[in-house]
Amino acid sequence: HVQLVESGGGSVQTGGSLRLSCALSLNPTSDYCLAWLRQAPGKEREGVAGIDTDGTTNYAESVKGRFTISRDNAKNALYLQMNSLKPEDSSMYFCAADPPREPQGCREVQASNVYSYWGQGTQVTVS
């Protein structure tokens, strides 16, 4: 039974930091493309950061230089370190997972923002 469980959200002041975690029950974690996405009320869901099976990362332009995605396959965990937070970062954050797809592997998954497995979300509020 696949399960993704986020934690670490909360309220923080502008300029502050938060670290989101996602506990993964994938078998094995190393075979999956992982990502963080967010969705604010009335807005479309957007990809924030993705990490490939080989550890290659990519970020939305709006968070480059401020957010860092990482994975620990041995601990079955995904992380998002968020620094220099801005009010516009306020949103529900979701972790997601999907196996690589042809022909470009994790890039195909990230370009579509379509993932097979999702967490329930964790709220981040920046004021």
Side-chain angles (χ1 to χ4, degrees):
H1 177 63
V2 174
Q3 208 170 12
L4 282 65
V5 181
E6 302 95 337
S7 61
S11 296
V12 65
Q13 291 188 334
T14 298
S17 297
L18 283 173
R19 188 191 194 212
L20 304 184
S21 298
C22 179
L24 309 161
S25 63
L26 301 168
N27 189 22
T29 296
S30 57
D31 283 359
Y32 285 79
C33 314
L34 304 175
W36 289 97
L37 300 94
R38 65 188 180 187
Q39 187 167 22
K43 294 189 177 181
E44 289 190 0
R45 184 169 54 204
E46 62 171 336
V48 174
I51 185 165
D52 295 4
T53 53
D54 64 0
T56 302
T57 59
N58 62 86
Y59 299 91
E61 285 296 325
S62 59
V63 306
K64 276 183 181 178
R66 300 188 298 121
F67 290 12
T68 302
I69 187 172
S70 61
R71 63 192 294 165
D72 187 331
N73 293 331
K75 294 184 177 179
N76 296 312
L78 175 69
Y79 306 103
L80 185 68
Q81 178 67 43
M82 305 187 294
N83 299 328
S84 302
L85 282 161
K86 305 175 181 180
E88 51 264 44
D89 294 317
S90 297
S91 191
M92 185 72 78
Y93 284 72
F94 301 87
C95 59
D98 204 68
R101 290 183 217 138
E102 297 298 328
Q104 296 189 48
C106 287
R107 294 309 162 109
E108 291 287 326
V109 179
Q110 290 156 7
S112 70
N113 275 345
V114 174
Y115 292 83
S116 297
Y117 306 109
W118 292 82
Q120 82 289 349
T122 186
Q123 180 68 39
V124 171
T125 302
V126 185
S127 59

